[in-house]
């Protein structure tokens, strides 16, 4: 016996006997395996396990079965885990690929994807008795070969060798093994009784291994079978994209076909409204799920028991189904499709396409048997499989037919009778489980989960656990929860092994087989895959799922041999010593063999079972007896009781039959004395359903649900009639906090107390790259300190404190707000029209450029949500003027909130109280999802919001995280997308999201000067790019690739030793110009087209044209900007300096034309203002270093830009950045050499007077007496401009102060070959350059102006 603990570890080094130890091993990654892994993490917090899956993907039967039309026939709301419900199914009956996607999302949510090892087959399990461990033989398969059938793999090994399938073998060990191997995976093979298959020249494959490489176009297809798979695939084959010429379907006997359940209100409305409704209000989804469950349970009692009540219900049901069949199919099929057995005997087909497809002349249904195969055809008949060929009155064809055949599809079911195949399970004494099953009559397991002789081995969804009426997922969850009870005690170190007792297992199996005889599945004339040729039914459970659920909740520990650890033994002794003595010792008790009926789970699960039903195995029996006051009188030290032993209402079968009292023990006093079988079971004396325990349990559950609804209604009424002042402030409600809202993990707060403002986060220094605005300012500040200029520490160049008292009013459309209490969710303050309008604004501002979400879907969701909120407010269901959050905090609603918050911020040019409130309402949820890769859309929206609130560093940080999540999820690799996303539309959406994040990552890297996350070399060259529907995104991808090279060129041009490499710059400039020329004609902007009528363009198209044009200009400015950093570089590169100046002037003129000809600029300033200030910075740099050379030629464009600046909102991040630069220049101007016009003014100064005149003509108020030397008492500039007019005035002063200096320099310079306005280096005054030569500031003006970039 080894105790290896609860951690995965490798033992024995590199010895040949080395192995890896896993505390828990799960076999199979289908629904059951995924549920087991998730619950180990959720319930036990345990992650030291491994799931081995033979296939190449997660999903089990849903991964394997990919035939045309594969879908779930259970209502979607009932086909998801209770611990992770899915309310977003696309249809009422979801397709197979969507179920696979759901299982993958669950694995990602519970972070168990890395615990799943694909392409690994568990070949053998062998129990090592001495070590109490399971030895597991693994076969690591060639990728994809696990998706083949066992025979296909065997044939490949025979033809190509073992290495063609098995890469290597490995032996591991585990303390606990859970088998989640499914039954609908291994398909049935070709019937051996049909000869000639070897000569067939066409394709033959099973529906469960659909060969998508086979082209069915124009071919004759034979489909063998009429089960659920065949009913789904046959209607698809004659249609596109398969286009089969003919489809002949061979039927052995007709199935009962049930109209597929339709959702309330119809499929269209269900698919449109319920995903949003159930996601927003999860309690409605849970209620509908429970209702579906109880309806399914009701159907069980109506159809499956073999009693008079169910017989009547079946007859009525059969008559209705025959009516449905006769009106749905041609008359020639009526006799053929009339079953001769009761409904429920076989698995029913829930159909909405098969019956209608039989009217298609390309599809033929026949009961002629397949008798032989020819190279290009098949022979059917003579004879027929149904109706009886001896029936002379039947009109169903009986003669032999030969049909052409190109493809044969087997839809003849699965090998459901060979459980765990091909896994070999070897227990104690080296015995195979399959051998024991053969000896005992057939596959079996106690509770469908455990077998004697196989300790610590649990089967999930084992023998006799399937359901013919309910959800498979529900049954799997029940068994997972049952198994968790045992694993918990093993992992806690209290128990070494659990092994079910042989007597308990045999009694359970005997009861199962006996009770099945009382069901329709074993009725006369019923032949199905539920039972084998001997009549052994190892498939279905004979009772309801309510019964099985309760049994799984309360394990009967007395039916198990439990080997305790030393720790567990000590605990038991302590409890035994603390408890009164009892006549029965739990350590020696043996179960009485169960015969007849098994007691229903609810009857003796609360302490009445001395064998320990529902009791912790560590709890002594005496303690349980004491708790229930059922102490034995047999103990020698126990005093005699004055009263007789308490009798209880529960009675065994014998006591019930004789109508005598029973003490509830097993055996009871009478049966023990008379050596009778003491069995507790429902309905021992009556067949009345209403007297059964199942009915009582179900009725109690319904009453409990009704009580919950009544309590909820009473609570709402109490709130409605509560007399409360609606104007109370937040502090007056602190005595009773609002209840948590539906759909949220806890209470949320949407307002801040005025007296306790939220604490700001502590600022930490971080790296600033060479392209960032703060980078240039830090250099300037360091140089100023070296020069002896003392200044206060400068904040981040991108963040400027905003003085709201000086702000101009917001120029935006008003948002209708209702009287809503501040604790309510902000969405309650908005109207539907406002929400739709804001979604449109988001689409126009960002959606057309970065399609990370489907805006139309968001708008539809907004309409649906606000229809509900407005109705709830009108009806009084929600009192918006009362305290309480009434949160609308689902994931979809949070996406909507971020869209609205961003649109409000954009509309308000940088700051919106309502937008801030919306962001605060999702802040906690957004930050909690920063570690979930599945939230890429939410992360990108969050980054966009922060960018538009002038927090570019945080936007950069979040988009970088999103970019890394993209890499983690493999969105940058085509092959990963193909494997993980089965739908073409999903792959297309994922590509759009990835490329949007890729572009934003580059864009904000340039803005902050810090490196980007996604490198071009990491992206798959074959990764698809967006379609033509997203022209901006498509155009920006090559632009962004060029920007990568520009980035490194800009980085290399910084520093003392950096040099301007003219060749590289010119090459990159050429690439940018070529990119611009290569744009499609409808994306080209021609500056000559200055009027809306010059060509028919929509506003959106024109805006994209201008933005792309300005993007090219912007990147070219980045390239050439270093030339303007000093006068010497301008002298060395005069042509390039003129180029960057021309680019900046062109940018200003384009925006001016746009403003004059369209209303695009005025309505969407946020998009264009960044280009304006970059151009302004170039103009200021040029006039500062070469005033006489450049001031005259850029004056017109400068004042054009001022007209645009006048329209800036003081709250926009662009305005704050520009104002910060103005403030710094004004404070440091005298030390940098910027002097007022008054100091330069003289009679021969044409620029000064011209500047004043032009400023006046331009409408600017110019004060010639004070620029950088304000009069006493005037004070410094405020933290924010009063309005755009003030910014325009200050920029005029800066321009004239910088440009005016050129006259002074020109008059003192004599060199003819020097740059206009600068001395010749050989002249006496040539000690420096421009203002630097005179004042020694070493280009500080350049560095401060660099903030504008």
């Amino acid at each position: 016996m080894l105790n290896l603990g609860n951690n995965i570890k490798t033992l024995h080094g590199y010895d040949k006997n080395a192995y890896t130890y896993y505390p828990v091993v799960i076999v199979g990654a289908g629904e059951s395996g995924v549920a087991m892994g998730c619950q180990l993490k959720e319930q036990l917090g345990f992650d030291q396990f491994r799931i081995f899956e033979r296939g190449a993907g997660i999903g089990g039967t849903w991964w394997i079965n990919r035939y045309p039309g594969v879908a779930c026939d259970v209502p979607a709301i009932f086909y998801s885990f209770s611990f992770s419900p899915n309310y977003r199914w696309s249809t009422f009956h979801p397709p197979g690929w969507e179920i696979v996607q759901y299982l993958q999302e669950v694995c990602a949510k519970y972070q168990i994807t890395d615990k799943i090892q694909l392409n690994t087959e568990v070949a053998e399990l062998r129990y090592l008795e001495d070590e109490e461990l399971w030895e597991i033989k693994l076969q690591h398969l060639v990728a994809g070969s696990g998706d083949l059938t066992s025979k296909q793999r065997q044939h490949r090994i025979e033809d190509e060798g073992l290495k063609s399938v098995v890469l290597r073998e490995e032996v591991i060990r585990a303390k606990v093994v859970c088998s989640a191997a499914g039954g609908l995976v291994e398909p049935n093979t070709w019937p051996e009784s049909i000869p000639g298959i070897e000569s067939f020249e066409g394709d033959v494959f099973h529906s469960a291994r659909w060969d998508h490489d086979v082209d069915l176009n124009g071919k004759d297809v034979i489909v063998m079978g009429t089960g659920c798979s065949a009913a789904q695939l046959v209607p698809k084959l004659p249609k596109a994209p398969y286009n089969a010429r003919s489809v002949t379907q061979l039927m052995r006997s007709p199935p009962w076909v049930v109209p597929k359940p339709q959702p309330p209100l119809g499929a269209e409305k269900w698919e449109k409204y319920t995903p949003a409704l159930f996601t927003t209000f999860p309690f409605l989804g849970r209620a509908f799920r429970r209702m579906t469950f109880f309806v399914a349970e009701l159907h069980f009692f109506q159809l499956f028991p073999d009693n008079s009540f169910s017989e009547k219900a079946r007859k009525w049901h059969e008559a209705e189904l025959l009516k449905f069949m006769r009106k749905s199919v041609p008359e020639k099929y009526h006799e053929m499709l009339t079953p001769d057995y009761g409904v429920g005997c076989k698995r029913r087909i829930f159909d909405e396409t098969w019956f209608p497809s039989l009217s298609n002349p390309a599809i033929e249904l026949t009961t002629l048997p397949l008798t032989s195969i020819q190279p290009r055809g098949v022979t059917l008949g003579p004879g027929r499989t149904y109706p009886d060929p001896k029936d002379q009155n039947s009109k169903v064809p009986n003669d032999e037919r030969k049909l052409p055949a190109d493809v044969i599809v087997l839809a003849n079911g699965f090998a459901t009778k060979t459980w765990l195949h091909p896994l070999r399970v070897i227990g104690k004494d080296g015995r195979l489980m399959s051998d024991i099953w053969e000896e005992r009559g057939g596959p079996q397991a106690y509770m469908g989960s455990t077998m004697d002789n196989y300790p610590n081995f649990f089967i999930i969804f084992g023998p006799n656990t399937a359901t013919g009426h309910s959800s498979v997922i529900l049954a799997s969850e029940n068994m997972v929860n049952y198994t968790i009870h045992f694993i918990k005690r093993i992992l806690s170190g209290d128990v070494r092994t659990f092994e079910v007792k042989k007597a308990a297992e045999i009694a359970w199996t005997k009861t199962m087989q006996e009770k099945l005889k009382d069901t329709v599945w074993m009725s006369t004339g019923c032949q199905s895959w539920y039972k084998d040729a001997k009549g052994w039914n190892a498939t279905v459970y004979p009772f309801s799922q309510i019964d099985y659920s309760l049994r799984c909740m309360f394990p009967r520990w007395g039916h198990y041999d439990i080997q305790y650890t030393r720790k567990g033994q000590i605990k038991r002794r302590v409890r035994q010593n603390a408890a009164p003595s009892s006549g029965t010792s739990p350590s020696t008790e043996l179960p009485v063999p169960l015969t007849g009926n098994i007691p229903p789970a609810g009857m003796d699960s609360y302490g009445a079972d001395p064998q320990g039903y529902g009791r912790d195995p560590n709890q002594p029996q005496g303690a349980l007896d004491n708790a229930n006051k059922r102490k034995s009188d047999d103990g020698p030290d126990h005093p005699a009781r004055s009263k007789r032993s308490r009798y209880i209402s529960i009675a065994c079968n014998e006591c019930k039959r004789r109508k005598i009292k029973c003490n509830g023990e097993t055996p009871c006093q009478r049966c023990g004395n008379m050596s009778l079988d003491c069995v507790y079971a429902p309905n021992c004396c009556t067949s009345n359903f209403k007297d059964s325990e199942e009915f009582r349990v179900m009725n109690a559950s319904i009453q409990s649900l009704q009580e919950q609804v009544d309590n909820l209604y009473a609570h709402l009424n109490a709130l409605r009639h509560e007399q409360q002042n609606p104007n109370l402030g937040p502090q007056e409600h602190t005595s009773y906090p609002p209840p948590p809202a539906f759909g949220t993990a806890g209470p949320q707060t949407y307002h801040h107390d005025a007296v306790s403002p939220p604490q700001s986060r502590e600022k930490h220094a971080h790296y600033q790259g060479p392209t960032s605005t703060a980078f240039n300012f830090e250099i300037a500040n360091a140089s100023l300190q070296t020069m002896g200029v003392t200044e206060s520490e400068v904040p981040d160049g991108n963040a400027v404190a905003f003085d709201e008292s000086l702000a101009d009013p917001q120029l935006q459309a008003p948002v209708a707000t209702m009287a809503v209490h501040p604790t309510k969710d902000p969405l309650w303050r908005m109207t539907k029209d406002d929400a739709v309008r804001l979604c449109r604004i988001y689409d126009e501002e960002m959606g057309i450029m970065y399609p990370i979400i489907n805006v139309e879907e968001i708008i539809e969701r907004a309409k649906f949500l606000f229809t509900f909120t407005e109705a709830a407010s009108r009806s009084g269901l929600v009192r918006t003027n009362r305290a309480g959050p009434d949160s609308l905090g689902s994931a979809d609603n949070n996406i909507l909130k971020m869209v609205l918050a961003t649109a409000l911020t954009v509309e308000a040019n940088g700051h919106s109280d309502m937008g801030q409130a919306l962001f605060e309402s999702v802040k906690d949820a957004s930050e909690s999802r920063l570690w979930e890769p599945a939230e890429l859309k939410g992360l990108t929206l969050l980054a966009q919001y922060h960018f538009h609130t002038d927090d570019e560093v945080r936007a950069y940080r979040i988009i970088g995280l999103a970019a890394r999540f993209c890499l983690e999820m493999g969105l940058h690799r085509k092959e990963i997308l193909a494997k993980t996303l089965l739908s073409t539309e999903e792959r297309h959406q994922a590509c759009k999201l990835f490329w949007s994040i890729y572009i934003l990552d580059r864009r904000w890297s340039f803005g902050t000067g810090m490196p980007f996350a996604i490198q071009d070399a990491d992206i798959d060259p074959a990764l698809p790019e967006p379609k033509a529907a997203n022209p901006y995104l498509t155009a920006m991808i090559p632009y962004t690739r060029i920007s990568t090279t520009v980035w490194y060129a800009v980085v290399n041009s910084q520093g003392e030793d950096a040099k301007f490499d003219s060749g590289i710059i010119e090459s990159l400039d050429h690439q940018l110009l070529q990119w611009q020329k290569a744009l499609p004609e409808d994306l080209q902007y021609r500056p000559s087209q200055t009027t809306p009528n010059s060509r028919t363009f929509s506003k959106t198209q024109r805006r994209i044209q201008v933005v792309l044009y300005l993007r090219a200009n912007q990147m070219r400015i980045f390239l050439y900007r270093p030339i303007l950093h000093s006068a010497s570089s301008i002298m060395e590169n005069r042509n390039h300096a003129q180029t960057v100046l021309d680019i900046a002037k062109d940018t200003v003129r384009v925006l001016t034309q746009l403003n004059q000809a369209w209303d695009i600029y005025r309505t969407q300033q946020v998009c264009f203002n960044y280009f304006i200030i970059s151009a302004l910075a170039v103009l200021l740099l040029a006039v500062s270093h070469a005033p006489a050379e450049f001031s005259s030629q850029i004056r017109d464009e400068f004042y054009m830009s001022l007209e645009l600046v006048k329209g800036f909102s003081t709250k926009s991040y662009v305005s704050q950045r520009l104002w910060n630069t103005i403030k710094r220049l004004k404070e440091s101007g005298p030390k940098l050499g910027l002097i007022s016009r008054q100091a330069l003014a003289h009679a021969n100064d044409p620029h000064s007077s011209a500047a004043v005149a032009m400023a006046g003509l331009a409408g600017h108020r110019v004060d010639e007496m004070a620029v950088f030397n304000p009069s006493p008492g005037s004070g410094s500039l405020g933290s924010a401009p009063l309005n755009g007019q003030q910014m325009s005035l200050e920029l005029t002063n800066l321009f004239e102060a910088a440009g005016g200096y050129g006259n002074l320099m020109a008059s003192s310079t004599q060199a003819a070959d020097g740059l206009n306005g600068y001395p010749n280096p050989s002249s006496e005054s040539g000690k420096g350059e421009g203002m630097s030569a005179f004042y020694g500031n070493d280009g500080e003006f350049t560095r401060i102006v660099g903030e504008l970039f």
Side-chain angles (χ1 to χ4, degrees), residues 239-379:
K239 302 177 181 179
Y242 305 101
N243 300 318
R245 178 169 54 198
S246 69
V247 178
T248 303
Q249 187 175 11
L250 309 184
M251 180 174 69
R252 187 170 53 187
S253 62
W256 283 105
V257 179
V258 182
K260 184 172 287 188
Q262 296 302 309
L265 304 178
E268 182 177 354
K269 290 184 179 179
W270 176 272
E271 295 165 8
K272 182 177 181 181
Y273 294 115
T274 55
L277 182 65
F278 290 162
T279 303
T280 305
F281 307 102
F283 73 95
L284 295 178
R286 291 192 294 270
F288 189 81
R289 180 184 173 101
R290 290 182 180 181
M291 183 184 72
T292 305
F293 167 74
F294 284 118
V295 169
E297 291 299 281
L298 179 61
H299 284 172
F300 171 82
F301 294 109
Q302 288 178 336
L303 298 181
F304 298 105
D306 192 10
N307 54 40
S308 58
F309 169 78
S310 298
E311 181 68 21
K312 293 179 181 178
R314 277 197 300 272
K315 292 297 183 185
W316 178 88
H317 198 54
E318 289 168 5
E320 293 298 313
L321 295 184
L322 289 177
K323 290 180 183 178
F324 167 70
M325 180 269 293
R326 293 187 179 110
K327 72 177 183 180
S328 302
V329 304
E331 185 177 357
K332 64 179 180 179
Y333 293 132
H334 288 181
E335 182 184 2
M336 192 186 302
L337 289 172
T338 301
D340 61 353
Y341 56 88
V343 62
C345 161
K346 296 182 180 181
R347 195 173 192 277
R348 294 167 295 167
I349 295 177
F350 294 88
D351 172 65
E352 63 181 358
T353 59
W354 183 45
F355 271 2
S357 73
L358 294 179
S359 300
N360 188 337
I363 297 177
E364 181 184 3
L365 179 67
T366 180
T367 56
L368 292 173
L370 180 62
T371 53
S372 65
I373 307 295
Q374 292 81 45
R376 282 294 175 182
V378 298
T379 300

Side-chain angles (χ1 to χ4, degrees), residues 755-802:
V755 298
S756 303
Q759 299 294 321
S760 61
R761 297 185 179 181
E762 182 183 356
K763 293 285 186 179
H764 297 279
H766 54 78
Y767 169 73
Q768 300 290 349
T771 61
S772 69
T773 60
F775 175 81
N776 294 311
F777 187 80
E778 287 177 3
I779 296 176
N781 191 45
S783 300
L784 288 174
Q785 290 180 354
T786 302
M787 295 162 54
V789 179
T790 59
E791 291 184 345
S792 60
E793 185 174 344
V794 180
D796 186 356
N798 291 344
V800 182
F802 178 70

Side-chain angles (χ1 to χ4, degrees), residues 54 121 145 148-157:
R54 180 177 62 193
E121 181 174 22
S145 61
L148 303 175
T149 67
S150 298
K151 283 199 171 184
Q152 287 174 330
R153 291 197 300 275
Q154 186 61 38
H155 289 160
R156 179 178 289 186
I157 292 174

Side-chain angles (χ1 to χ4, degrees), residues 607-903:
D609 178 19
Q611 297 188 37
Y613 191 6
R615 172 171 50 85
D616 189 297
N618 292 331
Q619 183 180 11
Q621 179 67 33
L624 185 66
D625 291 340
N626 182 54
N628 292 283
K629 301 184 183 297
R630 298 193 186 108
K631 300 177 182 178
S632 173
D633 293 336
D634 298 333
D637 299 327
H638 198 285
R641 300 180 61 177
S642 58
K643 296 181 180 181
R644 66 179 181 179
S645 299
R646 169 183 284 183
Y647 284 91
I648 58 176
S649 59
I650 299 173
C652 67
N653 290 357
E654 290 294 326
C655 293
K656 277 184 180 179
R657 187 165 60 85
R658 289 168 175 78
K659 297 182 180 180
I660 60 177
K661 291 185 177 180
C662 178
N663 63 1
E665 295 183 358
T666 305
C668 67
Q669 186 174 1
R670 180 178 183 281
C671 293
N673 293 337
M674 301 182 66
S675 300
L676 299 174
D677 289 338
C678 188
V679 179
Y680 297 81
N683 309 328
C684 63
C685 304
T686 177
S687 60
N688 188 353
F689 166 62
K690 292 186 177 180
D691 294 334
S692 67
E693 180 63 21
E694 287 86 351
F695 178 83
R696 288 195 293 272
V697 171
M698 185 170 66
N699 190 44
S701 299
I702 294 174
Q703 290 178 357
S704 176
L705 288 174
Q706 184 62 47
E707 290 175 1
Q708 294 178 33
V709 174
D710 293 341
N711 290 336
L712 178 61
Y713 184 75
H715 181 64
L716 289 175
N717 280 336
L719 290 176
R720 184 178 294 113
H721 295 97
E722 182 184 81
Q723 296 299 323
Q724 179 180 353
N725 184 0
N727 298 319
L728 288 177
Q731 64 274 18
E732 297 179 74
H733 294 275
T734 55
S735 60
Y736 48 94
F742 292 119
T744 60
Q748 299 182 10
T749 303
Y750 303 110
H751 71 284
H752 296 289
D753 194 343
V755 298
S756 303
Q759 299 294 321
S760 61
R761 297 185 179 181
E762 182 183 356
K763 293 285 186 179
H764 297 279
H766 54 78
Y767 169 73
Q768 300 290 349
T771 61
S772 69
T773 60
F775 175 81
N776 294 311
F777 187 80
E778 287 177 3
I779 296 176
N781 191 45
S783 300
L784 288 174
Q785 290 180 354
T786 302
M787 295 162 54
V789 179
T790 59
E791 291 184 345
S792 60
E793 185 174 344
V794 180
D796 186 356
N798 291 344
V800 182
F802 178 70
D803 186 357
E804 295 190 13
S805 64
L806 302 175
D808 54 337
Q810 297 180 14
L811 302 176
Q812 64 180 57
V815 177
T817 58
M818 297 173 284
V820 175
H821 196 276
T823 59
K824 294 292 185 185
D825 192 297
L827 287 179
W828 291 101
R829 308 179 201 170
M830 301 184 66
T831 65
K832 183 195 302 183
D833 293 340
D834 282 327
V836 173
R837 179 181 61 81
L838 291 170
C839 288
R840 296 293 183 197
I841 290 176
Y842 174 87
D843 191 31
E844 293 172 359
E845 284 288 341
M846 281 142 306
I848 60 173
M849 295 190 290
Y850 305 108
I852 59 175
I853 58 173
N854 188 325
V855 177
E856 292 303 322
E857 291 181 359
I858 296 295
I859 291 175
E860 288 300 315
R861 176 164 188 79
K863 291 179 180 178
F864 167 79
L865 178 65
F866 283 99
T867 299
F868 171 81
T869 58
E870 292 170 1
S873 299
R874 286 194 306 270
S875 64
L877 178 63
V878 175
R879 293 297 180 90
T880 57
N881 59 350
R882 300 282 177 87
D886 288 309
S887 171
L888 303 172
S890 67
D892 285 336
N893 286 349
N894 288 343
I895 293 289
L896 173 62
K897 289 180 184 179
M898 287 308 305
V899 169
L900 298 178
T902 305

Side-chain angles (χ1 to χ4, degrees), residues 1023-1149:
L1023 185 69
E1025 296 184 1
K1027 298 178 181 178
N1030 306 107
Y1032 179 85
L1033 192 64
T1034 304
M1036 284 296 293
I1037 293 173
Y1039 171 89
T1040 308
R1041 293 193 180 108
I1042 299 173
S1043 73
T1044 303
T1045 312
V1046 173
W1047 165 273
Y1048 292 112
V1050 172
V1051 169
N1052 293 333
S1053 66
Q1054 306 297 324
E1056 297 180 359
D1057 300 329
K1059 293 184 179 180
F1060 182 79
D1061 192 327
S1062 177
I1064 293 178
I1065 299 303
E1066 290 176 357
S1067 174
L1068 290 173
D1069 191 23
H1070 176 74
Q1071 292 181 38
L1072 286 167
L1073 292 174
Q1074 290 301 313
W1075 167 80
Q1076 194 174 27
K1077 291 180 181 178
L1079 291 174
E1081 183 63 27
D1082 58 348
L1083 296 182
Q1084 291 280 356
Y1085 175 71
R1086 313 295 183 190
S1088 59
Q1089 298 172 355
T1090 58
T1091 63
N1093 296 327
S1094 59
R1095 186 176 176 183
T1096 304
F1097 287 122
S1098 66
K1099 286 177 58 176
T1100 300
Q1101 191 173 11
R1102 174 61 81 185
R1103 178 169 177 259
I1104 292 178
Q1105 290 173 350
V1106 175
V1107 169
L1108 290 173
Y1109 185 89
L1110 296 178
R1111 288 278 177 216
N1113 280 4
Q1114 185 74 6
M1115 194 57 63
R1116 296 179 70 198
I1117 287 176
F1118 268 117
L1119 270 177
Y1120 289 108
R1121 187 184 64 184
I1123 297 171
L1124 302 178
H1125 284 182
S1126 66
S1128 61
S1129 64
I1130 294 176
M1131 292 176 64
E1132 294 172 1
N1133 303 276
R1134 295 174 66 173
N1135 292 335
H1136 290 152
Q1138 186 63 49
T1139 299
V1140 70
L1141 204 61
D1142 291 340
I1143 296 171
K1145 291 166 60 178
D1146 181 56
T1147 296
V1148 173
R1149 288 189 176 276

Side-chain angles (χ1 to χ4, degrees), residues 58-69:
I58 299 169
T61 186
W62 293 107
W63 174 264
I64 288 296
N65 288 270
R66 304 184 196 178
Y67 56 82

